[in-house]
Amino acid sequence: MKYAFCGGKLLDGTREMQPREGLVLRTDGDRITDIVPEGTDLTGYEVVDLKGGYLMPGLINMHVHLAGSGKPQKKQRDNEKLVKTILSTGLTRKVAYGMVAGFAKKELFSGVTTIRTVGGLADFDTRLRDDIRAGRRVGPRILAANEGISVPGGHMAGSVAVAAHTIDEALEQLEKGRQQGVDLVKLMITGGVLDAKSKGEPGELKMPPEVVKAACDQAHALGLPVAAHVESPQGVRVALEGGVNTIEHGAKPDEEILRLFKERHACHIATISPALPYAMFDRSVTGASETEQYNGKLVMDGIIDCAKACLKNGIPVGLGTDTGCPYITHYDMWREVYYFHKFCNVSNAFALHTATLGNA
């Protein structure tokens, strides 16, 4: 249908955007066709009066796990065992797929019109993407990775990622994703806050550099970009040297890392939301150990440092929530935008630009 949105304040998603009035935004189907002055002939359009409200592009969430709700848990659970149970019968798979679809709908209703999933259950994410496209489900556009590729003992291995013992197994999983119609490939290169057994090792390198390079080479040959979970300078360097396109989370970069970002035309996806509760919430509330809080602060500082350095050096920075982690729900993209403004010292306009046109 054709709609004409009138009587509002327009935020167009550009870098230094300011609210503009006296304009009409016209759409046809799922596309914005043009922006015209008030008084333009609107024959054939259904007119929507915004009554002084704001109109902006839909938010884009670059880092989503649709398998998790974000509900806080004081005790770590065995995610691998839980996923095996979920996928064990037709009934449990059906229930789980309905849950995943519900989370996607919640993303849409929070103002997020596109998400990029970076680790999920089986082929649920590509299935849901196609169901939404076909009108069988309500939700945002989805760029889907399905299951990520990890290594034995690696980040999320056995839950939303498959543990590859060898290069051949990693490439087999990549081929499986291709057959499922994935839009991108996700690698779990380092550990994370909840994987670490001691202070200072949340980003311990888990995936060998040769596996990273082989997976990136094959993905690129298939026309698929590669996103990578990395939370240490060593992990960022290995990822960029191997050919990764987007660094998810990140760590404080040195000059060599910044050079690699530019040379490889790679981007940084900042995810401040999941580290913040571990870094800043009272442990009596979160149930986090002293080690987890220490590592959470280390990771949060690394993400912020990476984002600031990339912005300073003209390297693109995107935003994602890492939804599914404790305290990070599917309606929290607004919070990530606020954190980006608060902790990375960018303007409100630039934060909104990053979550819309920048992420696009």
Side-chain angles (χ1 to χ4, degrees):
M1 294 182 65
K2 293 184 175 184
Y3 291 95
F5 296 88
C6 310
K9 302 178 182 70
L10 181 67
L11 295 170
D12 62 10
T14 53
R15 187 181 179 98
E16 302 294 342
M17 72 182 121
Q18 295 297 317
R20 293 190 292 159
E21 299 183 61
L23 297 171
V24 178
L25 183 143
R26 301 194 296 191
T27 67
D28 187 356
D30 64 356
R31 298 285 176 182
I32 294 172
T33 54
D34 55 16
I35 299 169
V36 296
E38 286 184 353
T40 300
D41 181 24
L42 300 179
T43 302
Y45 288 88
E46 182 174 332
V47 176
V48 179
D49 185 358
L50 297 171
K51 299 179 180 178
Y54 287 86
L55 182 68
M56 62 179 286
L59 298 171
I60 297 174
N61 191 339
M62 295 288 281
H63 195 113
V64 174
H65 299 282
L66 284 175
S69 68
K71 181 179 179 181
Q73 296 188 357
K74 290 195 174 183
K75 294 175 67 175
Q76 288 190 44
R77 62 188 180 192
D78 187 337
N79 287 321
E80 185 173 358
K81 182 179 179 182
L82 177 61
V83 169
K84 282 182 179 178
T85 301
I86 288 171
L87 300 178
S88 62
T89 71
L91 177 60
T92 53
R93 289 175 75 96
K94 184 176 181 179
V95 170
Y97 183 69
M99 175 192 73
V100 164
F103 291 152
K105 184 176 180 180
K106 196 167 287 186
E107 290 271 353
L108 179 65
F109 282 17
S110 74
V112 174
T113 53
T114 302
I115 63 173
R116 192 177 65 143
T117 68
V118 284
L121 299 176
D123 64 346
F124 284 13
D125 293 349
T126 50
R127 281 178 54 200
L128 181 58
R129 174 199 65 196
D130 295 344
D131 279 348
I132 290 169
R133 282 179 181 169
R136 293 186 292 268
R137 295 275 186 174
V138 174
R141 297 179 188 88
I142 296 177
L143 298 171
N146 285 348
E147 295 170 302
I149 301 173
S150 189
V151 294
H155 188 62
M156 306 307 285
S159 57
V160 296
V162 172
H165 295 76
T166 64
I167 288 177
D168 286 344
E169 287 187 9
L171 297 184
E172 286 173 11
Q173 179 59 28
L174 200 155
E175 172 60 20
K176 180 181 175 183
R178 184 196 68 79
Q179 293 176 9
Q180 294 168 342
V182 297
D183 301 293
L184 70 151
V185 173
K186 173 69 180 295
L187 303 180
M188 307 293 188
I189 294 178
T190 73
V193 172
L194 298 182
D195 303 324
K197 300 295 187 286
S198 61
K199 290 182 177 180
E201 65 163 33
E204 182 182 13
L205 186 66
K206 301 285 187 180
M207 182 173 284
E210 59 269 22
V211 176
V212 176
K213 187 173 190 314
C216 287
D217 287 349
Q218 182 62 15
H220 294 155
L222 295 171
L224 297 171
V226 181
H229 167 102
V230 279
E231 293 186 350
S232 68
Q234 182 189 19
V236 175
R237 190 174 298 108
V238 166
L240 293 173
E241 288 173 345
V244 164
N245 301 99
T246 60
I247 297 297
E248 314 291 314
H249 317 306
K252 185 172 184 177
D254 55 21
E255 290 303 315
E256 173 65 8
I257 286 174
L258 293 172
R259 182 188 68 78
L260 285 168
F261 261 113
K262 292 180 179 179
E263 184 182 281
R264 304 303 168 91
H265 302 288
C267 307
H268 173 227
I269 307 302
T271 57
I272 300 169
S273 295
L276 186 142
Y278 287 99
M280 302 184 72
F281 287 11
D282 192 306
R283 289 195 294 116
S284 66
V285 175
T286 63
S289 67
E290 184 183 356
T291 297
E292 288 170 346
Q293 185 169 61
Y294 179 91
N295 287 335
K297 182 69 164 61
L298 189 68
V299 168
M300 181 177 166
D301 289 346
I303 292 169
I304 293 168
D305 287 342
C306 193
K308 285 181 173 179
C310 284
L311 290 172
K312 184 178 179 181
N313 285 274
I315 297 162
V317 175
L319 295 182
T321 57
D322 205 357
T323 293
C325 290
Y327 295 96
I328 315 305
T329 73
H330 289 279
Y331 46 86
D332 270 346
M333 184 61 190
W334 67 271
R335 202 184 300 272
E336 183 68 26
V337 177
Y338 170 69
Y339 290 158
F340 188 53
H341 159 72
K342 178 179 175 67
F343 294 107
C344 295
N345 303 320
V346 301
S347 68
N348 287 323
F350 186 78
L352 289 174
H353 158 74
T354 302
T356 54
L357 186 59
N359 275 358

